């Protein structure tokens, strides 16, 4: 069930109609089921769906053919065949729903097709009508819904497995966690060795915040774990002796090789998305170079003395940029907190006696992603990653997207990469039975609550 903040179930249909917005196509999301067959999903495709426009008291379930009028992610606006231009009985459905079938399904499985009662008398010969109507039309592939679920089941990370995940209370370190639940490739993790009972963290299976057991040991990342686990990593990594419930390197996406084989050096300056305030791109420094091209990045001017807010980005991460990126793209760069007057990279580099990371070190690949400003999506609030919320792409800068949460202040916005597994097509939550936070609405006559700023205030945690 999808609940909005008012406790009601959020319904995309009327919201899309009232906002007149479009939605990003399922083909934009490489981490969701059926993304690779979405080119065939065009307006006018026909499906077989339950016919709900029937006399009350009928006990057999009957079906009818409907046309896809509009497609919004997985959500579709449908019209029963025979209604012509009459939109009075149009209805919404989800292409991943168990109730949506290819044309021919009823015939194959002996289900009954019966015209809606509103138009029953419109044609004398419905069979002839359908035959005429169906010639030359397209339908969806058979067993659409079960194929989607098979695809989800093919993933290797399963409930009960152990893996390493960023410590949400101290992002410069990793911890050991166990997978408690998998919903549509999103993992509900419990930190192991936690004093709290339900010390949870949520992320997608291909999130860059999780790694196989032994990863911290392999790359030299800080790890908050029991002595036993730390010693066990030695044999896991060196002898490749993994336990039956260990998540292993083959279960994770491979990182690219850095371009030109060049590498970042400690002290180099760059621009980076602030991992603790994703609405800001900040002046940053390479604080440490780990093995396998991982970097610890610090945000200039707000770094904790003990390095507890350094954050690990891979050298090919799309969330780090060369000096000047914001200026070239007309984006606001967040300068170090102590900056007086306008920030100038040239002066800053001279004053700090530092060097800009060479542009050549950055991956400049921009995939053809298909996202455009104004498109609706379902997006994870990465500061509270159990929440998936109704959101809009408000800016597209190369491969970078600015995600705005509908109804929330702009300081909740997030910069994320177009290939991020934390954004989903409209209708994904419904299809996966994941909860969805509707747009934030303020009750009328209620004084507007003070804006809770999500600006990083020396915090080192994701809630
Ligand atoms: N307790 C939080 C919820 C914010 C969720 C916003 N999601 C876009 C707050 O009010 O800050």
């Amino acid at each position: 069930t999808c609940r909005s903040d008012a406790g009601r179930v959020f319904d995309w249909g009327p919201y899309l109609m009232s906002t007149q917005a479009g939605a990003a196509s399922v083909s934009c999301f490489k981490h969701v089921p059926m993304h690779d067959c979405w080119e065939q999903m065009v307006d006018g495709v026909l499906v077989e769906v339950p016919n709900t426009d029937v006399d009350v008291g009928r006990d057999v379930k009957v079906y009818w053919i409907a046309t896809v009028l509009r497609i919004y992610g997985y959500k579709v606006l449908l019209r029963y065949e025979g209604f012509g231009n009459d939109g009075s009985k149009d209805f919404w459905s989800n292409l991943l729903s168990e109730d949506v079938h290819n044309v021919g399904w009823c015939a194959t499985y002996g289900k009954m097709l019966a015209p809606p009662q509103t138009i029953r008398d419109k044609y004398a010969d419905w069979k002839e009508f359908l035959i005429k109507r169906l010639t030359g039309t397209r339908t969806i592939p058979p067993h659409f819904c079960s194929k989607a679920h098979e695809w989800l089941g093919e993933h290797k990370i399963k409930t009960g497995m152990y893996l390493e995940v960023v410590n949400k209370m101290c992002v410069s370190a990793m911890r050991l966690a166990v997978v408690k639940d998998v919903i549509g490739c999103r993992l509900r993790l419990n930190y192991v060795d936690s004093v709290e009972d339900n010390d949870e963290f949520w992320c997608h299976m291909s999130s860059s915040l999780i790694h196989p057991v032994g990863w911290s040991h392999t790359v030299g990342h800080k790890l908050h774990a029991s002595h036993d686990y730390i010693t066990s990593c030695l044999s896991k990594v060196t002898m490749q002796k993994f336990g039956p419930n260990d998540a292993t390197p083959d279960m994770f996406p491979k990182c690219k090789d850095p371009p030109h084989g060049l590498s970042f050096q400690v002290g180099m300056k760059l621009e980076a998305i602030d991992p603790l305030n994703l609405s800001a791109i900040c002046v940053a420094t390479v604080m440490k170079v780990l093995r396998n091209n991982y970097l610890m990045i610090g945000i200039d001017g707000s770094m904790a003395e003990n390095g507890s807010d350094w954050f690990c980005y891979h050298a090919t991460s799309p969330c780090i940029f060369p000096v000047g990126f914001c200026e070239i793209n007309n984006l606001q760069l967040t300068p170090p907190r102590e900056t007086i007057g306008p920030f100038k990279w040239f002066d800053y580099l001279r004053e700090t006696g530092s060097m800009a990371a060479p542009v050549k070190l950055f991956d400049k690949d921009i995939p053809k992603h298909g996202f455009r400003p104004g498109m609706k999506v379902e997006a994870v609030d990465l500061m509270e990653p159990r929440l998936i919320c109704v959101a809009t792409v408000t800016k597209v800068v190369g491969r970078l997207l600015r995600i705005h949460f509908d109804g929330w202040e702009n300081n909740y916005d997030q910069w994320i990469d177009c290939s991020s597994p934390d954004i989903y097509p409209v209708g994904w939550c419904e299809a996966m039975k994941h909860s969805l936070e509707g747009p934030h609405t303020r009750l009328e006559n209620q004084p507007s609550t003070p804006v809770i700023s999500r600006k990083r205030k020396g915090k080192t945690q994701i809630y």
Side-chain angles (χ1 to χ4, degrees), residues 38-96:
W38 220 256
E39 298 80 66
Q40 36 181 319
M41 291 307 158
V42 289
D43 297 351
V45 156
L46 300 182
V47 290
E48 289 180 357
V49 286
N51 174 6
T52 56
D53 182 13
V54 286
D55 303 330
V56 275
R58 270 190 88 135
D59 46 3
V60 286
K61 195 168 177 180
V62 294
Y63 295 81
W64 193 238
I65 292 173
T67 313
V68 172
L69 298 174
R70 306 277 304 265
I71 310 178
Y72 301 84
Y74 291 122
K75 293 290 279 184
V76 282
L77 182 62
L78 296 176
R79 180 172 300 169
Y80 288 125
E81 272 311 305
F83 273 83
N85 290 326
D86 174 4
S88 61
K89 287 275 165 24
D90 290 354
F91 59 101
W92 289 89
S93 191
N94 191 311
L95 284 176
L96 291 193

Side-chain angles (χ1 to χ4, degrees), residues 379-381 384 386-387 389-390 405-406 408 412 414 437 440 452 454 463:
V380 177
D381 179 342
E384 280 176 68
R386 76 196 153 81
L387 302 178
C389 314
V390 168
F405 293 105
D406 291 23
W408 293 88
Y412 286 85
Q414 292 178 169
E437 306 294 312
H440 186 54
I452 310 151
R454 280 204 162 180
Y463 290 108

